Amino acid sequence: MRITTATPGGVSVQQVSEVTAADGAKAAAAPAEAAELQSAVMQPALQALRDLPDIDHEKVAQLRDALAKGELPFNAGKLAGLIQRFHGSEK
């Protein structure tokens, strides 16, 4: 499976397509040195990402409290517009 990302009209779109045997052969033919370099460079970042909590519960609680107290502005119309812009409208 291959996932590609594009931004037509400023909206991120991910497309999933099947990988053929020829695509797999091209990937297998990549130089081992490049794979080792990428692995060595990426390992610290990947480990740091793994060490992060999935959800910052403390931050969520702070935001929830600020929203309840009216300290954090919330514009439902703006949120709805952003959701519609991101997901598009089906007609």
Side-chain angles (χ1 to χ4, degrees), residues 11 75-88:
V11 178
N75 183 334
K78 184 175 181 178
L79 177 61
L82 291 170
I83 291 171
Q84 184 177 20
R85 183 173 140 204
F86 181 77
H87 291 288

Side-chain angles (χ1 to χ4, degrees), residues 26-75:
K26 288 177 190 174
E33 294 171 7
E36 289 175 14
L37 176 61
Q38 181 179 4
S39 178
V41 171
M42 294 298 294
Q43 288 309 312
L46 290 172
Q47 187 57 45
L49 185 61
R50 284 186 204 105
D51 293 342
L52 289 174
D54 290 334
I55 299 172
D56 186 346
H57 294 284
E58 183 178 336
K59 183 70 171 180
V60 170
Q62 289 173 353
L63 291 171
R64 185 179 298 128
D65 291 343
L67 188 59
K69 293 177 186 175
E71 298 170 352
L72 186 66
F74 177 72
N75 183 334

Side-chain angles (χ1 to χ4, degrees), residues 1-2 18-29:
M1 175 173 31
R2 176 181 293 159
E18 294 297 319
V19 175
T20 64
D23 292 334
K26 288 177 190 174

